[in-house]
Amino acid sequence: MLNPADDAFLAGLARRFPPGTLAQPQPHHLTEPRGRHLGRAGAVALPRTTEEVARLVSACAEARVGIVPIGGGTGLVGGQVMGEGPLPLLVSLERMSRVRGLFPSENVILVEAGAILADVQAAAEAAGRMFPLWLASEGSCRIGGNLACNAGGTAVLRYGNARDLCLGLEAVLPDGSILHGLKRLRKDNTGYDLRNLLIGAEGTLGIITAASLKLVRPPAAEGAALLAVRDPAAALDLLGRAQRRLGPLVTGFELMHRQGLDFLAETMPGLRQPFAEPPVWTVLVDLGLAEGMDPAAELEALFAEGLEAGLVSDGIVAQSLAQRADFWAIRETIPEGNRRIGSIASHDISLPLGEIARFVEEAGAALARIGSLRVNCFGHLGDGNLHYNVFPAPGRRREDYEPLRAEITRCVHDLVHAAGGSISAEHGIGRLKVAELERYGDPARLAAMRAIKAALDPHGIMNPGAVLRAA
Amino acid sequence: MLNPADDAFLAGLARRFPPGTLAQPQPHHLTEPRGRHLGRAGAVALPRTTEEVARLVSACAEARVGIVPIGGGTGLVGGQVMGEGPLPLLVSLERMSRVRGLFPSENVILVEAGAILADVQAAAEAAGRMFPLWLASEGSCRIGGNLACNAGGTAVLRYGNARDLCLGLEAVLPDGSILHGLKRLRKDNTGYDLRNLLIGAEGTLGIITAASLKLVRPPAAEGAALLAVRDPAAALDLLGRAQRRLGPLVTGFELMHRQGLDFLAETMPGLRQPFAEPPVWTVLVDLGLAEGMDPAAELEALFAEGLEAGLVSDGIVAQSLAQRADFWAIRETIPEGNRRIGSIASHDISLPLGEIARFVEEAGAALARIGSLRVNCFGHLGDGNLHYNVFPAPGRRREDYEPLRAEITRCVHDLVHAAGGSISAEHGIGRLKVAELERYGDPARLAAMRAIKAALDPHGIMNPGAVLRAA
């Protein structure tokens, strides 16, 4: 059982650190973006160095006080806010945001965990490189949190998740020891893969303090098109054709249902929509090409092939980078439209690509049997990752549906699970989905996870109750 | 302490499995490719199903008998042969080699762990896809071993290691439970990354029984060139230029020192060499392009740019796929030339790309101070992975150098470690490099590895003495 971060503990801690290391938690330390979860904490620690993080963790381990690591606080599953149990100490990495090294010829950057994602992107860009992790929250999320949660985003098809962009980690383990793993290596087969174990562990196995990240050279030319497709099956067929033509030069392949465009028209009537009549299904195809290639020509050719094959009925090829940015703005504004309408339930799911079309059909029919609902299904089709969000019928309020929320989520997640999918594609488990993981997770996997947690964090101090139920 | 797989244990085991499940180990079960390590075993078990593997592991766990999992037996660090300690049971996956599913539209194949790598490649090819893990041993290594050891090879620059090609695993954990993780998903953030923990654990945390693997579409056009470069620094400069032009379409970028070509000329005089006078340093550039692109033209342009910049002095662009295959044959025959000459010590190292040139210079000078030696340095330059092998002076025998071997390896590995490199880039730790890992490994990392091993395999039955010293 853990002890609270009470006044006596905090007073003792304060004496051992420079003034200002401990502070009163601010509202942004205790809330999450959807405002659903309110955290509690004895204090927030704001360390300046990895050694300070290590000493903080050691002190908490000794006193059996829980720690909640905080990055930018943008996670959507409550991993950063602890509302129950003995008062924890928050450890925010916000003061550790330096670039420790930049190696353009190696395509590597070394950054501290508190660096804001957009600042990492900017540092790469200043060196003629690109850090290709693109998230809606990039202006406020921090790289340590991106790694702890294995963030995804809109360029995973080409560049992978946060996991795939990380070469090495420095971290403080639950006993206060420092893992020195900031390697700039593409290959290293010397034992167990602790890097990937910490990535995606959501702060429950240690605190990431710095990372060695892969950069890439920006593509020689970029372009995008919006194509109206017959249905999700046609979209997948088109993706295959794009990859046959262009292989890894397809950067993004996003699916949007008309519902999302209608929500934008309703909540942001000033936003210019690309199609006069929104198609039922649209894909946003994004390319990053080699030298000498013409994005518009490649996209026109794909458009023509899609038309010919009966997959595509209409389309717009961006004629400039500005128009490409406009296409992406539409796609990236969809979540804000959703927020303004107010969803009953949101689902961050992934499916085998071949199961997507059937899932969309079956889930739509099953939800219609539950009640009068609207579904906005959009997301990263190339990754099999859909954001499948459920909304009230027009004119009704989300509160009216409160009694149905659990049934809706059960319906969606049961269908996902039956299709071999995942109930958390990119958002993680946090505290919101612990019970879902227990319900759908493989028993041997859960047992191994618990054994690893107990081995590395025997007192259960690291982010108690996230991912795994607190012991 | 473990018990031996003695007659009583084996007789009891035999009664619980179909006839023929247990057999006398054959020579290929007890040796490794360089003939340096001879294994011992009570018997070899040849299970046909995952359930049989699980029952074998359970029986060994109960009796505290060690297990050595065996794939194709091609590993180079002795992970598959146990010469010391209580007699283990070998578990060979050779009878589990089925393709369980093939999903071309998803670019996914599900295979059992005993499938030979070349057979997986062939199954993919028959479906118009490619499984891009290319190894010298692909005709005999098995995919379970490739994954357990996170195999690398010649296309890692583009497609990644075995780790990067795996979407999910089925495995038997040390308590005999079955991990059901054969997901066909590109994204799944539901808890700790056990897949990547098992990959690279070299059979010490469980036995991989099946895998879900990524396929890719073959590039629309492929080509290669051999370019004589000034030195390793010029080679890296050229790699950057190739990637600026072509981004992810650069498939391979291999470095060869003249020593390797000289060894081929000496040991295989019938092999036609591409250059009349072998260059001191040659790179093999391999491209896989998009539709409409011309490999020879792209390679000529790179060649010209390299000449212009003073990086390249000579070159040959393959004019056909047959000539490209000839170039690769040269590269892939170098290890056989090495074997015929007989190395004193071989090193599978990786370095930060920016440290390679200095390392090559310093290591050459340091070895010259030890004795009269020849060095063949070649490998996967794009990955920072060099095979740095040391040979006797002409006319002398490797046996003469036996007293120097430890000093040579210490010299090379100390320089690698000081440069932030790895003493095992792609071959793993096995039993050969356990002491090296203890010497060079980060203490916090080793402690965490031992804690994980103890948590998942409390009796230490899984591949005892590999990666970590047996408790």
Side-chain angles (χ1 to χ4, degrees):
Chain A
M1 191 60 188
L2 294 174
N3 296 315
D6 58 18
D7 290 347
F9 171 75
L10 294 170
L13 201 59
R15 280 194 295 275
R16 293 149 68 185
F17 286 86
T21 302
L22 294 190
Q24 284 295 321
Q26 300 302 303
H28 72 272
H29 292 124
L30 298 173
T31 50
E32 59 84 65
R34 290 174 178 158
R36 293 195 187 143
H37 302 279
L38 293 183
R40 298 153 59 248
V44 58
L46 302 161
R48 290 171 187 81
T49 65
T50 302
E51 289 64 32
E52 285 187 4
V53 176
R55 287 170 51 218
L56 286 165
V57 172
S58 293
C60 288
E62 200 181 320
R64 310 280 193 270
V65 167
I67 291 173
V68 177
I70 306 255
T74 58
L76 294 171
V77 287
Q80 72 278 45
V81 285
M82 180 173 159
E84 295 180 348
L87 276 187
L89 179 71
L90 306 183
V91 176
S92 169
L93 280 283
E94 63 200 83
R95 284 181 180 161
M96 290 179 61
S97 59
R98 283 188 314 133
V99 173
R100 288 203 196 155
L102 181 53
F103 304 85
S105 75
E106 298 181 4
N107 289 319
V108 172
I109 190 169
L110 306 182
V111 294
E112 290 183 339
I116 287 176
L117 176 52
D119 293 340
V120 179
Q121 293 166 349
E125 201 179 326
R129 297 295 184 273
M130 198 166 85
F131 180 62
L133 184 68
W134 310 111
L135 303 178
S137 59
E138 61 202 31
S140 51
C141 62
R142 296 175 190 269
I143 194 70
N146 296 145
L147 290 164
C149 301
N150 188 28
T154 53
V156 172
L157 181 65
R158 177 167 186 159
Y159 298 109
N161 284 322
R163 179 187 304 291
D164 302 299
L165 295 170
C166 178
L167 297 171
L169 290 180
E170 178 191 89
V172 174
L173 300 182
D175 65 355
S177 62
I178 299 174
L179 182 79
H180 296 283
L182 276 192
K183 302 241 174 186
R184 286 143 48 203
L185 303 176
R186 306 278 157 173
K187 278 180 169 178
D188 182 16
N189 274 357
T190 53
Y192 302 165
D193 188 354
L194 297 188
R195 168 172 58 90
N196 277 315
L197 190 61
L198 288 167
I199 295 174
E202 305 184 32
T204 63
L205 298 178
I207 302 180
I208 294 169
T209 53
S212 170
L213 302 173
K214 281 187 205 170
L215 304 177
V216 296
R217 286 171 184 266
E222 295 180 286
L226 290 171
L227 301 176
V229 291
R230 195 185 60 219
D231 52 26
L236 283 163
D237 188 338
L238 191 69
L239 171 63
R241 291 166 188 263
Q243 291 179 323
R244 192 204 68 233
R245 289 173 169 273
L246 296 163
L249 303 180
V250 183
T251 304
F253 202 88
E254 300 281 308
L255 182 71
M256 295 179 274
H257 186 266
R258 183 178 61 199
Q259 189 64 71
L261 302 177
D262 288 349
F263 284 169
L264 292 184
E266 184 180 336
T267 61
M268 284 169 260
L271 188 77
R272 209 177 62 193
Q273 297 246 358
F275 292 101
E277 172 71 21
V280 178
W281 293 102
T282 306
V283 291
L284 170 50
V285 187
D286 195 82
L287 305 181
L289 301 178
E291 267 188 12
M293 297 177 81
D294 176 359
E298 296 292 343
L299 288 160
E300 293 288 356
L302 180 67
F303 181 10
E305 182 178 340
L307 275 172
E308 172 82 24
L311 307 171
V312 172
S313 60
D314 196 0
I316 315 171
V317 172
Q319 298 303 314
S320 65
L321 289 175
Q323 196 178 4
R324 171 176 174 253
D326 289 344
F327 291 176
W328 274 107
I330 292 286
R331 164 64 186 85
E332 287 174 346
T333 310
I334 286 178
E336 179 57 23
N338 289 344
R339 265 187 291 275
R340 296 192 186 183
I341 298 289
S343 75
I344 305 165
S346 307
H347 310 95
D348 165 42
I349 61 175
S350 66
L351 293 155
L353 294 181
E355 301 289 336
I356 288 176
R358 194 174 61 172
F359 166 82
V360 169
E361 200 162 314
E362 289 184 356
L367 289 178
R369 288 192 291 272
I370 292 179
S372 178
L373 301 162
R374 287 181 293 178
V375 172
N376 185 14
C377 172
F378 66 104
H380 320 295
L381 188 71
D383 315 319
N385 177 191
L386 301 177
H387 299 300
Y388 193 89
N389 296 356
V390 182
F391 296 82
R396 296 186 60 187
R397 300 174 318 147
R398 60 192 288 189
E399 290 73 16
D400 302 339
Y401 291 85
E402 200 54 50
L404 295 181
R405 182 191 288 191
E407 187 184 352
I408 289 168
T409 291
R410 176 63 44 86
C411 169
V412 172
H413 284 176
D414 277 357
L415 285 170
V416 166
H417 185 67
S422 168
I423 54 122
S424 187
E426 59 177 10
H427 293 170
I429 298 297
R431 292 180 171 81
L432 200 61
K433 292 191 179 175
V434 170
E436 296 294 272
L437 176 59
E438 290 171 348
R439 178 177 176 85
Y440 296 107
D442 177 57
R445 178 152 182 265
L446 284 167
M449 284 172 57
R450 291 189 186 108
I452 290 167
K453 170 73 174 174
L456 296 182
D457 184 14
H459 309 306
I461 64 166
M462 292 303 310
N463 213 3
V467 185
L468 295 170
R469 199 172 292 272
Chain B
M1 192 60 188
L2 293 174
N3 297 313
D6 59 17
D7 289 348
F9 171 76
L10 294 170
L13 201 60
R15 280 193 296 274
R16 292 149 67 183
F17 286 86
T21 302
L22 294 190
Q24 284 297 319
Q26 300 302 303
H28 73 272
H29 292 124
L30 298 172
T31 51
E32 60 83 66
R34 290 174 179 157
R36 293 194 188 144
H37 303 278
L38 293 183
R40 300 153 57 250
V44 57
L46 302 160
R48 288 172 187 81
T49 64
T50 302
E51 289 65 31
E52 285 187 3
V53 176
R55 287 170 52 217
L56 285 164
V57 172
S58 293
C60 289
E62 199 180 320
R64 311 281 194 267
V65 167
I67 291 173
V68 177
I70 307 254
T74 59
L76 294 171
V77 287
Q80 73 278 46
V81 284
M82 180 173 157
E84 295 180 349
L87 276 187
L89 179 71
L90 306 182
V91 176
S92 170
L93 280 283
E94 63 201 81
R95 284 182 179 162
M96 290 177 61
S97 58
R98 283 189 313 133
V99 173
R100 287 204 196 155
L102 181 54
F103 304 85
S105 75
E106 298 181 3
N107 288 318
V108 172
I109 190 169
L110 306 182
V111 295
E112 291 184 339
I116 288 177
L117 176 53
D119 293 339
V120 178
Q121 292 166 348
E125 201 180 328
R129 296 295 184 272
M130 198 166 85
F131 180 61
L133 184 69
W134 310 112
L135 303 178
S137 58
E138 61 203 28
S140 50
C141 62
R142 295 175 191 270
I143 194 71
N146 297 146
L147 289 165
C149 301
N150 188 27
T154 53
V156 172
L157 181 63
R158 178 168 185 158
Y159 298 109
N161 285 320
R163 179 188 303 292
D164 303 298
L165 296 170
C166 178
L167 297 172
L169 290 179
E170 178 191 88
V172 173
L173 300 181
D175 64 355
S177 63
I178 299 174
L179 181 79
H180 295 283
L182 276 192
K183 302 239 173 188
R184 285 145 46 206
L185 303 176
R186 307 278 157 171
K187 279 180 168 177
D188 182 16
N189 274 356
T190 53
Y192 301 166
D193 187 355
L194 297 187
R195 166 171 59 92
N196 277 315
L197 189 62
L198 289 166
I199 295 174
E202 305 184 32
T204 64
L205 298 178
I207 302 180
I208 294 169
T209 53
S212 169
L213 302 173
K214 281 186 205 171
L215 304 178
V216 296
R217 287 172 185 263
E222 295 180 287
L226 290 170
L227 300 176
V229 290
R230 195 185 61 218
D231 53 27
L236 283 165
D237 188 338
L238 192 69
L239 171 62
R241 291 165 188 265
Q243 290 179 324
R244 192 204 69 231
R245 289 174 169 275
L246 296 162
L249 303 180
V250 182
T251 303
F253 202 89
E254 299 281 309
L255 181 72
M256 294 180 276
H257 187 265
R258 183 178 61 201
Q259 189 63 70
L261 302 176
D262 287 348
F263 283 170
L264 292 184
E266 184 180 336
T267 61
M268 285 169 258
L271 189 76
R272 208 177 62 190
Q273 296 245 359
F275 292 101
E277 172 70 20
V280 178
W281 293 102
T282 306
V283 292
L284 170 50
V285 188
D286 195 82
L287 305 181
L289 301 179
E291 268 189 11
M293 298 177 80
D294 175 0
E298 296 292 343
L299 289 159
E300 294 288 357
L302 181 66
F303 182 9
E305 182 178 340
L307 275 172
E308 172 82 22
L311 307 170
V312 172
S313 60
D314 196 1
I316 315 171
V317 172
Q319 298 304 313
S320 64
L321 289 174
Q323 197 178 4
R324 171 176 176 252
D326 288 345
F327 291 176
W328 274 107
I330 293 285
R331 164 62 187 86
E332 287 174 345
T333 310
I334 286 178
E336 178 58 23
N338 289 344
R339 264 187 292 274
R340 296 193 186 183
I341 298 289
S343 74
I344 305 164
S346 306
H347 310 95
D348 165 42
I349 61 175
S350 66
L351 292 154
L353 294 181
E355 301 289 336
I356 288 176
R358 193 174 63 172
F359 167 83
V360 168
E361 201 162 311
E362 290 184 356
L367 289 177
R369 289 193 291 272
I370 293 178
S372 178
L373 300 163
R374 288 181 294 179
V375 172
N376 186 12
C377 173
F378 66 104
H380 319 296
L381 188 71
D383 315 318
N385 177 192
L386 301 177
H387 299 299
Y388 194 88
N389 297 356
V390 182
F391 296 83
R396 296 187 58 188
R397 300 173 317 147
R398 60 192 288 188
E399 291 74 15
D400 302 340
Y401 291 84
E402 198 57 47
L404 295 181
R405 180 191 287 191
E407 188 183 351
I408 290 168
T409 290
R410 175 61 47 86
C411 169
V412 172
H413 284 176
D414 277 358
L415 286 169
V416 166
H417 185 67
S422 168
I423 54 123
S424 187
E426 60 177 8
H427 293 171
I429 298 298
R431 292 180 172 80
L432 200 60
K433 292 190 178 174
V434 170
E436 296 294 272
L437 176 59
E438 289 172 349
R439 178 177 177 82
Y440 296 106
D442 177 57
R445 178 153 181 264
L446 285 166
M449 285 171 56
R450 291 188 186 107
I452 291 167
K453 170 73 173 175
L456 296 182
D457 183 15
H459 309 305
I461 63 166
M462 291 304 309
N463 213 2
V467 185
L468 295 169
R469 200 173 292 275

